[in-house]
Amino acid sequence: MAAPAQLLALIGTSITSTALPSIYADLGASTDDLSLLFTTYTLAFGLLLLLGGHLCDLLGRKRVFIIGSAGFAVAFAVAGLAPSAGLLILAGVLQGMSAALLSSSALALVSAGFSDPKERGRAFGVYAAVAGGGLAFGMFASAMLVDSLGWRMCMYVTAALALVLAVCAAPLVHDPHPVRTPARLDAPGLAIGSTALIALAFGFDRAQATGWATPLTLILLTGGALLLLAFAWQQAGSPHSIVPAGVLKDRDRAGSLLALFVLGLSLFVTFLILGRYLQGALGYSPAGSGMALLPMAGAAVLAATQVAARLCHRLAPRNLIVPGLLLTAAGLAILAGIDADSSYTAQVLPGTLLIGFGAGLALTPLFTTVTGGVAAQDSGGISAAVNAAQNLGTWAGTPLLGSILASAISARLAHASDIPAPLVEAAGNGSVISPHNLPAALSGTVDNLNTAVLGGYSVAFWWVAGFTLLGSLLAGLLITAKAPKG
C-alpha cells in the first residue's frame, strides 16, 4: 500500500499543475492566486512533515496512513467543488497537510515492516521505483486525465482513489510493531524543526519570486539553515526525539540524506526543463510530453526492482549509490546538448534513460541505508527526515533553475535592444516562444530568442550535472557502510 500511496501523492500534485490553465479560465483566478496555491501547499506540507512522522511513532503508522489518505480524499473533493480560487487554495492547504501524513506513514510502514536484508531490498526497490519514476508517470496520467475528463472530474477521481486507499488500508495494512511508550511529544523539536522547514520552503519560494538578494529571502534562508542546525543539536539531547538519537551524527545516514537532496533537485529540474523543451521546442502536447518521459520511469523501475533490489544486500551501499549518481550526471550531460535541431530519439531518450536508471539504482540503497537498524517505533521520525531531504532538494530546484536560466539567457540577449519587451520577458522566464500568431517580421527575432532560451537550458543542465557529480563524490566519501549481513 505504501507504493500506491506515494504514487497517488505524485499524481495529485501533477494534476493540479497540469490543470492550471483550465483552473485559471474557469475560476477567473489571477496569476497571484495560482502562485499562492503552490506556496500554501508547500508550507502546509513542510509544517506537518515532522509532525506526521512523529505521530507515526506515537499513534501508529497504520492509523496515520488512514488519516492521511482520508484527508487527501477530502482535499481533492473540496478542490473539485471549489467555486472560487480562495476555496481552492484552502483545499491545497489540506492537500499539503494530508500529503505530509501520507508520505511519512507510507515510508515508515516499509521501514518497520521488513527486517531481513533481502526482503528490505525488494520492498525498498518497489518504493524507490515510485520515487524515481512516479513523477514521469504522474505527468503522463494527469495530462491524459485533464484532457479527457476536465479538471474538476480529475479532482473527484483523485479523491475517489484516495478514499479507496483509506478503506483498503483498514483490512490490508498490517502494523503489529509497537509504538513508543510512554507516547510523549517532542514539542521543542517539532517547533524548531517545523519552523526551519517552513522558513526554507518560503525562502526558496521568495527567491524564485523576488531574487536571492532581497532581505526577506536572505533572512528566511539563513534563519532556516540555522534552525535546521539547532534542530539537529536539540535532537541529539532530547529524551523523546523525533529523529532517533545518533541518526543525524551517523556519517552513512548523513551522506545518504545529502544524496537524496541532490537527487530531489536533479530529478525535479530535469522534469521542469524537459516539460518546457518538449512542448515549446518539439511541439509536444502535455500528454505527449508525459508519454515521452515514460521510458525514464521504466528505466527507474528496472534499475530499482531488478538490479538494486537484488544487489543491495550483497554489495556495500556506495557501490550502487555512486554509480547511480554518476549515471544520472551522465544523462544530464547528454541533455545539456539539446538545441533547436535535436530530436527526441537521438538526444532526449538516451539522456532520460540514463537519468532514470541511475536514480533507480541509487535510491534503493539510499533508503535502506538511512532507515537500516532503526527500531520500528522510530521509523516515522527517520521517514520524515528522508522526505525532508528530498523535498528540500525539490524546493531549491525551482529558484536555482530560474536564476541560472535568467543569467544565461540575459547574457545571450545583452545586445538585443530592439526586441519587444513581452518577448524578452517570456524568454527570460525560460519559455520557448511559438512563432505562430506573430508578425512575419518578428520570425528572426523569435529564432534568436529561442536560441537564447535553449542555450539557457543547456547551461542549466551542465550546472545540475556538475552538482550531481559533486554529490556522487561526497556520497562516496561519507557512505562507508559495508554490505549488510544476512
Side-chain angles (χ1 to χ4, degrees), residues 147-415:
D147 285 347
S148 58
L149 300 178
W151 73 271
R152 289 189 184 275
M153 186 57 67
C154 286
M155 299 293 181
Y156 297 143
V157 169
T158 306
L161 292 174
L163 185 60
V164 169
L165 189 70
V167 172
C168 291
L172 296 179
V173 173
H174 302 286
D175 185 24
H177 304 285
V179 296
R180 290 186 186 181
T181 51
R184 294 182 180 176
L185 197 72
D186 182 9
L190 284 173
I192 298 171
S194 297
T195 304
L197 291 178
I198 292 173
L200 290 169
F202 194 40
F204 287 128
D205 178 80
R206 290 300 84 198
Q208 169 67 13
T210 62
W212 295 91
T214 58
L216 180 59
T217 301
L218 292 173
I219 290 171
L220 288 169
L221 293 180
T222 303
L226 292 175
L227 284 172
L228 207 57
L229 292 175
F231 173 73
W233 176 81
Q234 185 271 342
Q235 290 293 283
S238 174
H240 311 291
S241 60
I242 301 167
V243 180
V247 163
L248 298 177
K249 294 182 179 179
D250 186 326
R251 60 183 291 168
D252 292 315
R253 299 183 204 274
S256 297
L257 291 173
L258 175 63
L260 286 168
F261 171 85
V262 170
L263 277 174
L265 188 150
S266 301
L267 292 175
F268 187 68
V269 169
T270 298
F271 284 113
L272 279 179
I273 297 179
L274 286 181
R276 295 178 180 182
Y277 175 75
L278 290 170
Q279 294 178 47
L282 300 188
Y284 284 48
S285 65
S289 64
M291 184 178 294
L293 295 176
L294 286 181
M296 179 178 173
V301 171
L302 178 66
T305 62
Q306 302 303 314
V307 181
R310 297 173 184 270
L311 296 177
C312 65
H313 66 281
R314 300 178 184 177
L315 300 176
R318 68 177 175 185
N319 291 343
L320 292 171
I321 295 169
V322 173
L325 290 173
L326 289 175
L327 286 174
T328 302
L332 289 163
I334 291 175
L335 293 181
I338 59 174
D339 55 32
D341 298 322
S342 298
S343 68
Y344 170 77
T345 53
Q347 200 90 41
V348 177
L349 183 60
T352 53
L353 286 176
L354 281 177
I355 293 171
F357 194 89
L361 191 66
L363 282 170
T364 301
L366 284 172
F367 288 139
T368 58
T369 301
V370 176
T371 62
V374 174
Q377 58 267 32
D378 295 328
S379 60
I382 194 65
S383 298
V386 169
N387 282 315
Q390 289 180 286
N391 281 280
L392 281 171
T394 298
W395 297 337
T398 302
L400 284 173
L401 172 63
S403 298
I404 293 170
L405 281 178
S407 177
I409 293 170
S410 63
R412 287 163 170 77
L413 297 177
H415 303 293

Side-chain angles (χ1 to χ4, degrees), residues 31 35 96 103 142 306 325 342-343 351 383 385 393 419 462 464 470:
T31 54
S35 176
S103 298
S142 61
Q306 302 303 314
L325 290 173
S342 298
S343 68
S383 298
I419 301 177
W462 278 121
V464 179
L470 177 61

Side-chain angles (χ1 to χ4, degrees), residues 7 16 67 72 119 123 148 162 173 211 271 316 332 345 375 382 412 432 446 451 463:
L7 183 59
T16 304
I67 293 172
F72 211 68
E119 293 180 349
S148 58
V173 173
F271 284 113
L332 289 163
T345 53
I382 194 65
R412 287 163 170 77
V432 177
V446 169
T451 299
W463 271 97

